[in-house]
Amino acid sequence: MLGGTAACKADSPSESTGGGDSAACGLKIGFFGALTGDAAGLGIHMRNGTKLAIDQYNTANADCKVELLELDSQGDPAKAPALAQQAVSDAKVTAIIGPAFSGESEVADPVFEAAGLPTITPSATRPSLSTKGWKTFHRGVGNDESQGPAAGRYIDQVLKAEKVYVVDDQSAYGAGLADEVTKVLGAKVIGNDKVQVKQTDFSAVSTKIASSGATALFFGGYYTEAGLLLKQLKGAGWKGTMVAGDGVNDANFVKVAGDAAAEGTILTCPCAPATEAKGTFVTDYKAAFDNAEPGTYADVSFDITNIALEGIKGGNTTREKLNTFISGYNKVGAATGVTYKFEADGDLDPAEVLVWAFKVQGGKVVQDQEIPKS
């Protein structure tokens, strides 16, 4: 995973460092995302991927460890600026894995940019995040300009739906993803509506969808609202298929909707199945986290955390040096098999972007198919 080092006097992370007085020792990597609240199911898996990478690094470099700083945003953009300020005020924090969501990224990333603190998000997919001119921003997955059209193609080519209803939660992520799907489907979108984050009563929109004749619904948002909406929709007699993005791609969606209502739902992600990750990642993850299966983006978080760790071990112990290292990175991730190479705007090289469809089957989210690029 690592090359030669000036920081900890070892050629690979599996060797003892003997570098206890190094500038790398005691540095921190922050994980920024929802660890409690309605979206915690997504954030915890990503945090676990980051924690696994750091724990493995520290086992191999026992006298020159890196610390994990957990920044629990609850997925709430209102909490993000203060958390970002907490991170930048700690001189030991040299990289951020996250923010996990697009809304919190929009308000936290300017704080990180001003402080020169590099970030790599495993999951914030709003396209506009890479248009701000931020030099510290890096995205480890494809954005919604890949995921949205792919979801639209699945609805069109696989489901062969002629009438589609589109709903979003008005979040930066949900609205943006819904817009991209709508562009692909065009006149096949026969209706659209807006709901709100933390909304629980979807009777009005459920009635509209059920009476619209739509055989497919695309939902842009997160798993709690998606689950409640689908549960109420099925209760209103709707027989169609919900399709939603990576914000819904979590086992908690099934818990909220219920097995019967969730059955057959299609969930997309600009990522491959984490349960099929390469190398020893799945085995290591299950061993570290009570035999839990790795969830969406756990493998991405593991790989991008290792980018930061490799940079630190190589002597890039200031924020500026580490940001330069990350921006110039070009290697294959051990878990995902993706070549992490960032464009000038921080986006992942488009050649490395893929989008998968997953399906709820028998109460579980299982892989369905990779969605072709055209």
Coordinates of all heavy atoms in Angstrom, one line a residue, residues 230 234 253-254 257-266 360-361:
L230 N -42.8 4.9 0.8 CA -43.1 3.7 0.1 C -44.2 2.9 0.9 O -45.1 2.3 0.3 CB -41.9 2.9 -0.2 CG -42.1 1.6 -1.0 CD1 -42.7 1.9 -2.4 CD2 -40.8 0.8 -1.2
K234 N -47.7 1.9 -0.8 CA -48.2 0.5 -1.0 C -49.5 0.4 -0.2 O -50.4 -0.4 -0.6 CB -47.1 -0.5 -0.5 CG -45.8 -0.5 -1.3 CD -46.1 -1.0 -2.7 CE -44.7 -1.2 -3.4 NZ -44.9 -1.7 -4.8
F253 N -33.4 1.2 5.2 CA -34.6 1.5 4.3 C -35.6 0.4 4.4 O -36.8 0.6 4.5 CB -34.1 1.7 2.9 CG -35.2 1.6 1.9 CD1 -36.2 2.6 1.8 CD2 -35.4 0.4 1.0 CE1 -37.2 2.5 0.8 CE2 -36.4 0.3 0.1 CZ -37.3 1.4 0.0
V254 N -35.2 -0.9 4.4 CA -36.1 -2.0 4.5 C -36.8 -2.0 5.8 O -38.0 -2.3 5.9 CB -35.3 -3.3 4.2 CG1 -36.3 -4.5 4.2 CG2 -34.6 -3.3 2.9
A257 N -39.5 0.8 5.7 CA -40.6 0.5 4.8 C -41.4 -0.8 5.2 O -42.6 -0.9 5.0 CB -40.1 0.4 3.4
G258 N -40.6 -1.8 5.7 CA -41.2 -3.1 6.0 C -40.8 -4.0 4.8 O -40.7 -3.5 3.6
D259 N -40.6 -5.3 5.1 CA -40.1 -6.2 4.0 C -41.1 -6.2 2.8 O -40.6 -6.2 1.7 CB -40.0 -7.6 4.6 CG -38.8 -7.7 5.6 OD1 -38.1 -6.7 5.8 OD2 -38.6 -8.9 6.1
A260 N -42.4 -6.3 3.1 CA -43.3 -6.5 2.0 C -43.4 -5.3 1.1 O -43.3 -5.4 -0.1 CB -44.7 -6.8 2.6
A261 N -43.4 -4.1 1.7 CA -43.5 -2.9 0.9 C -42.2 -2.6 0.1 O -42.2 -2.2 -1.0 CB -43.8 -1.7 1.8
A262 N -41.0 -3.0 0.7 CA -39.7 -2.7 0.1 C -39.4 -3.7 -1.0 O -38.5 -3.4 -1.8 CB -38.6 -2.7 1.2
E263 N -40.0 -4.8 -1.0 CA -39.6 -5.9 -1.9 C -39.7 -5.4 -3.4 O -40.6 -4.8 -3.8 CB -40.6 -7.1 -1.8 CG -40.3 -8.3 -2.6 CD -39.1 -9.1 -2.1 OE1 -38.6 -8.8 -1.0 OE2 -38.6 -10.0 -2.9
G264 N -38.6 -5.6 -4.1 CA -38.5 -5.2 -5.5 C -38.0 -3.8 -5.7 O -37.7 -3.5 -6.9
T265 N -37.8 -3.0 -4.7 CA -37.3 -1.7 -4.9 C -35.9 -1.7 -5.5 O -35.0 -2.6 -5.1 CB -37.2 -0.9 -3.5 OG1 -38.5 -0.8 -3.0 CG2 -36.7 0.5 -3.7
I266 N -35.6 -0.8 -6.4 CA -34.3 -0.7 -7.0 C -33.5 0.5 -6.4 O -34.0 1.6 -6.3 CB -34.4 -0.5 -8.5 CG1 -35.2 -1.7 -9.1 CG2 -33.0 -0.4 -9.2 CD1 -34.5 -3.0 -8.9
V360 N -34.0 -4.9 -3.5 CA -34.5 -5.4 -2.3 C -35.2 -6.7 -2.6 O -36.1 -6.8 -3.3 CB -35.4 -4.4 -1.5 CG1 -35.9 -5.1 -0.2 CG2 -34.8 -3.1 -1.2
Q361 N -34.6 -7.8 -1.9 CA -35.1 -9.1 -2.2 C -35.1 -9.9 -0.9 O -34.1 -10.0 -0.3 CB -34.2 -9.8 -3.3 CG -34.8 -11.0 -3.9 CD -34.0 -11.4 -5.1 OE1 -32.8 -11.9 -5.0 NE2 -34.5 -11.3 -6.3

